Amino acid sequence: MARPYPNHPNLRGNYAPIGIECDAPDLVIEGEIPQGLLGVFYRNGPDPQYAPRGGYHWFGGDGLVPAFRIEKGRVSYRNRWARTLKWQLEHEAGEALFSPFNPMATDPRAQGKDSTLANTNIVWHGGRLLALEEAHAPFAMDPDSLESLGEHSFDGKLVGPMTAHPKIDPESGEMLFFGYRAKGMFTKDMSYHVVDRNGTLTRSEWFEAPFSSMVHDFITTREHVLFPIFPLTGSLERAMKGQPAYAWEPELDTHIGIMPRNGTPADMRWFEGDPCYVFHPMNAWTEGTKVFADVMKFEAAPLFPNADGSPADPAKAQARLVRWTFDLAGNTNGYAETPLDDAVGEFPRLDERRTGLPYRHGVIAANLARAKGDGGVMNSVVWYDHLRGSRSVFTFGPADGISEPVFVPRSPSAAEGDGWLLTVVYRAEEHRSDLAVLDTSDVTAGPIAIAKLPHRVPYGFHGNWRAL
Ligand SMILES: [Fe+2]
């Protein structure tokens, strides 16, 4: 018999798990789904199967993947858990056995077992659908049935974990990714890997970061790879003492390693800047000796405490879009920062056909109404035109909360940014969710189509589109 979930901010409201797998073959549509919108929109997020043990963190729930299949103006919906080893062992036991953020609290029955959550992102590459979570190898799922296929290690070539944020080079079709704490928990070892367009792992490199930290994402251009190391440190010593395994230590500053794509870690150059945290970059590109990176920057890492366990300053726990400029020909290891917008938001995306290249359009989910550090739900889609220095905004209702907006081109040859934005909208007043489709030709007009779900989709992390 499953126990009740404890009263925790990330187990309440639309963070609470739904705990169901289901199929809805033909959703009610308001408006009109464009005939050219043909594919599957996958998302991923935590939905703990059982009440947690040893405390809960939003990042620690089992991955439950919702998928919207859009075809001929109709939308069908299916969701399935990533039935990882952890999920299976706990399913058999009828209770949580693992404690992802406090290994000391893991049940003896689960000690030493693979604890993949597969809860953060889901990508389509090389003919495979991979559910990703940064501390482990990818987890493969069937792209149509969402049946769990198991850990995917690229024919045994991948050693160590894979980030949930690989980058797919739009020109070569390669998938670039990294792993942190790559030689064991809280090590400062990092790995870098390249998988070719067919899904074969062709290259692996290893190096050490300045210190062990939580490295959620990285940045790539056509010519360079950037490894950002922020002072959100990981410490086994702290964890053993029952203190925060991950904590904010601003005195260690920010370190950004830049490696040429055609070089090795021996060619890495480290730049240093003020302490900050970035979960997600929007895009980056190289121009001559300069590298530009647009990122959503927090003044301090959100969601994690200080090293002494005291809570972080909520006023700093909000992200804004900034542009970093690195001069590889300069004689300083500093870098410049220019603010691009004052909107508080997260989940930056772009037209991924411009990943790593000079680009014009990007998008974020924003919280425009509440910029005073009270966190809260994001309900605005902000679509940027960097060429004009302008933005278009659509704000959903005050009780609505949106997911990361994902761009889909109108056709493979459509101009950059010409297409649609997909976002899942939680309607708190109705306690259920919708899939909303916006047209980038007029974002401010709001959704051109809404597919209505009978239940809610809990707030999750990331999603991606697979064209059919
Ligand atoms: Fe992320």
Side-chain angles (χ1 to χ4, degrees):
M1 187 178 69
R3 290 184 296 113
Y5 293 86
N7 188 2
H8 182 282
N10 292 127
L11 295 168
R12 293 196 294 260
N14 197 39
Y15 292 92
I18 51 171
I20 53 168
E21 296 181 317
C22 62
D23 291 88
D26 200 354
L27 298 183
V28 171
I29 309 285
E30 283 179 3
E32 195 165 337
I33 299 281
Q35 290 291 320
L37 191 56
L38 179 62
V40 187
F41 177 40
Y42 304 97
R43 282 190 46 77
N44 202 349
D47 204 290
Q49 184 182 195
Y50 291 106
R53 59 187 298 140
Y56 187 64
H57 189 283
W58 190 29
F59 297 173
D62 304 290
L64 180 59
V65 173
F68 297 85
R69 186 182 180 100
I70 306 176
E71 200 167 10
K72 295 179 184 162
R74 293 163 62 152
V75 180
S76 64
Y77 172 84
R78 166 171 290 163
N79 75 335
R80 293 291 186 275
W81 263 301
R83 295 186 172 206
T84 60
L85 179 64
K86 171 186 181 296
W87 189 97
Q88 293 176 43
L89 292 172
E90 295 185 343
H91 194 72
E92 286 159 21
E95 62 176 323
L97 300 174
F98 294 80
S99 179
F101 277 77
N102 180 4
M104 310 299 285
T106 290
D107 187 280
R109 288 171 285 173
Q111 288 288 356
K113 299 277 196 336
D114 185 86
S115 57
T116 301
L117 297 160
N119 68 1
T120 311
N121 200 354
I122 185 154
V123 299
W124 173 251
H125 181 261
R128 292 191 189 93
L129 183 67
L130 300 175
L132 302 173
E133 165 255 294
E134 65 199 37
H136 296 89
F139 188 82
M141 299 175 78
D142 182 277
D144 296 316
S145 69
L146 298 184
E147 180 191 348
S148 289
L149 302 177
E151 181 187 291
H152 183 74
S153 62
F154 302 94
D155 295 323
K157 291 180 181 170
L158 174 64
V159 176
M162 170 176 174
T163 176
H165 286 289
K167 302 287 176 278
I168 297 175
D169 183 317
E171 297 175 310
S172 69
E174 292 170 309
M175 179 165 70
L176 317 176
F177 63 92
F178 72 96
Y180 74 96
R181 60 186 213 185
K183 291 186 178 174
M185 195 175 272
F186 306 121
T187 58
K188 58 183 180 180
D189 298 279
M190 306 270 297
S191 59
Y192 169 66
H193 307 274
V194 178
V195 169
D196 72 15
R197 60 163 63 238
N198 301 312
T200 302
L201 196 149
T202 56
R203 181 181 174 194
S204 294
E205 304 277 359
W206 295 80
F207 63 94
E208 283 191 358
F211 46 82
S212 174
S213 72
M214 182 175 281
V215 190
H216 183 69
D217 201 340
F218 78 144
I219 302 168
T220 63
T221 75
R222 181 194 269 148
E223 294 84 1
H224 295 97
V225 192
L226 285 68
F227 299 96
I229 309 298
F230 303 107
L232 176 57
T233 60
S235 164
L236 180 62
E237 194 184 349
R238 276 200 306 259
M240 297 289 280
K241 287 193 258 177
Q243 294 169 346
Y246 282 96
W248 177 239
E249 292 191 87
E251 61 277 11
L252 294 177
D253 286 337
T254 294
H255 302 252
I256 313 273
I258 301 186
M259 182 181 87
R261 290 252 309 257
N262 63 5
T264 72
D267 304 309
M268 186 100 65
R269 173 155 171 199
W270 288 95
F271 290 79
E272 291 181 31
D274 290 339
C276 69
Y277 196 79
V278 171
F279 274 110
H280 305 116
M282 179 177 279
N283 197 25
W285 71 99
T286 302
E287 262 179 41
T289 61
K290 289 190 173 164
V291 178
F292 300 90
D294 294 349
V295 304
M296 293 302 293
K297 191 192 92 160
F298 294 86
E299 281 184 63
L303 305 171
F304 289 90
N306 298 310
D308 63 4
S310 62
D313 180 355
K316 294 182 176 177
Q318 45 193 14
R320 293 180 174 86
L321 186 63
V322 303
R323 179 164 294 171
W324 286 339
T325 304
F326 304 87
D327 187 354
L328 297 165
N331 54 9
T332 161
N333 64 355
Y335 55 92
E337 177 177 305
T338 312
L340 293 186
D341 194 14
D342 60 0
V344 173
E346 246 292 354
F347 297 126
R349 294 294 292 258
L350 76 155
D351 178 340
E352 266 97 15
R353 296 173 301 168
R354 301 300 299 169
T355 297
L357 303 170
Y359 75 120
R360 178 171 178 177
H361 292 288
V363 64
I364 62 168
N367 178 350
L368 299 179
R370 289 160 285 188
K372 289 285 184 199
D374 56 353
V377 170
M378 296 175 283
N379 66 349
S380 294
V381 174
V382 180
W383 174 247
Y384 292 101
D385 182 336
H386 295 309
L387 189 67
R388 289 192 178 152
S390 63
R391 68 181 200 188
S392 306
V393 178
F394 179 74
T395 300
F396 288 83
D400 298 338
I402 63 168
S403 70
E404 173 187 65
V406 169
F407 174 82
V408 180
R410 206 173 302 274
S411 72
S413 59
E416 183 197 345
D418 179 24
W420 303 284
L421 296 167
L422 307 182
T423 183
V424 177
V425 188
Y426 170 58
R427 313 287 194 181
E429 288 169 347
E430 302 172 46
H431 213 45
R432 45 161 221 92
S433 297
D434 289 331
L435 171 67
V437 181
L438 292 88
D439 193 312
T440 57
S441 66
D442 191 357
V443 167
T444 56
I448 57 168
I450 289 173
K452 301 173 82 75
L453 273 178
H455 66 74
R456 65 187 176 83
V457 177
Y459 291 131
F461 301 122
H462 302 286
N464 281 292
W465 176 253
R466 170 172 71 107
L468 292 175

